[in-house]
Amino acid sequence: MAENLLSKGEADAIAIVSILENGQRSEITWQELRDLVAATAAALTHEGVVAGYRIVAWTPHVTEVSGDALAGLSLGALWSTASREFASSAVLYRFAQTAPLILMADR
């Protein structure tokens, strides 16, 4: 899926437009997205991620997390998210179902 998606779009064309709740808008081009996915996939590979690994992310749903998800998918990993608004008990319940091997979180 990641390979198919990332093969679309011209390098300098906009791939994702993100608008946060506070109105802050950001854009990422196809080339920036490809670079983000490649860098994140390399970092995940360095951590030993292989096909079948389960990755979870407790992060806001922003552009960069889309790139993280595509990186995991490109390696054959399963991906699950919960936004920061989830209570910690709800996150634990949700993520326990997948028995993740990698947790990604924002600062």
Side-chain angles (χ1 to χ4, degrees):
M1 181 183 105
E3 181 180 354
N4 184 42
L5 177 68
L6 293 171
S7 70
K8 310 298 181 202
E10 296 181 26
D12 59 349
I14 301 301
I16 299 174
V17 175
S18 175
I19 302 174
L20 301 179
E21 290 177 8
N22 67 5
Q24 180 183 349
R25 178 187 168 105
S26 64
E27 298 177 344
I28 186 170
T29 66
W30 282 101
Q31 189 58 55
E32 291 168 331
L33 180 59
R34 290 180 190 111
D35 293 345
L36 172 62
V37 170
T40 305
L44 291 171
T45 299
H46 179 75
E47 293 300 320
V49 172
V50 294
Y53 263 52
R54 294 164 309 281
I55 303 171
V56 295
W58 191 8
T59 60
H61 293 263
V62 295
T63 302
E64 293 78 12
V65 176
S66 298
D68 295 343
L70 288 169
L73 293 171
S74 75
L75 299 174
L78 306 173
W79 185 267
S80 179
T81 65
S83 68
R84 291 186 299 185
E85 291 78 21
F86 276 46
S88 57
S89 59
V91 172
L92 287 173
Y93 178 76
R94 178 183 182 111
F95 288 166
Q97 297 174 37
T98 61
L101 300 168
I102 299 280
L103 166 68
M104 299 179 82
D106 71 322
R107 301 177 226 184

